[in-house]
Amino acid sequence: VDPLVPSSLAPSSLLPLPSFHPPLIVIENTAEKFTVSVDVSHFKPEEVKVNLNGNDLTIEGDHEEKSDEIGTIKRFILPEDTNLDSLRSSLSDEGHLTIEAP
């Protein structure tokens, strides 16, 4: 035992660090494009809805079979210069929904 290290900081008393998890939402807004990526891996693809009303983008996830679960709604206001006609979405195998437009 090292007398200079308090017993509360001894290696045996330290908790393991949590594993790294990517962020749930990543937004990128550059001069070239606007991108939003959302982790929807806890939803089935058919439980995720994407709606666009003007520049108002809504991503909704709702568990169809779990009545005790509360759905998730994320709302984003797209920049005024977003080309809405070029808006594209994709869902990765890992459950990350990406929506982007120039």
Side-chain angles (χ1 to χ4, degrees):
V1 177
D2 187 341
L4 299 177
V5 177
S7 62
S8 63
L9 294 179
S12 61
S13 66
L14 295 178
L15 297 175
L17 293 174
S19 61
F20 175 75
H21 295 287
L24 297 177
I25 299 174
V26 176
I27 299 172
E28 180 183 352
N29 187 15
T30 66
E32 293 80 33
K33 66 180 179 177
F34 173 84
T35 305
V36 61
S37 295
V38 181
D39 179 359
V40 294
S41 60
H42 49 285
F43 295 102
K44 297 176 187 175
E46 60 270 15
E47 295 174 332
V48 178
K49 297 177 186 170
V50 177
N51 296 304
L52 183 65
N53 184 12
N55 280 32
D56 188 0
L57 173 68
T58 305
I59 301 170
E60 181 178 355
D62 192 16
H63 290 290
E64 294 174 353
E65 298 175 3
K66 299 179 182 179
S67 60
D68 60 333
E69 294 281 336
I70 297 175
T72 300
I73 298 176
K74 301 294 180 198
R75 183 171 173 250
F76 305 92
I77 303 297
L78 302 179
E80 289 296 322
D81 60 348
T82 302
N83 183 345
L84 301 178
D85 293 330
S86 297
L87 195 69
R88 300 287 177 255
S89 65
S90 62
L91 182 62
S92 73
D93 292 339
E94 294 81 24
H96 294 275
L97 175 65
T98 301
I99 300 169
E100 68 178 16

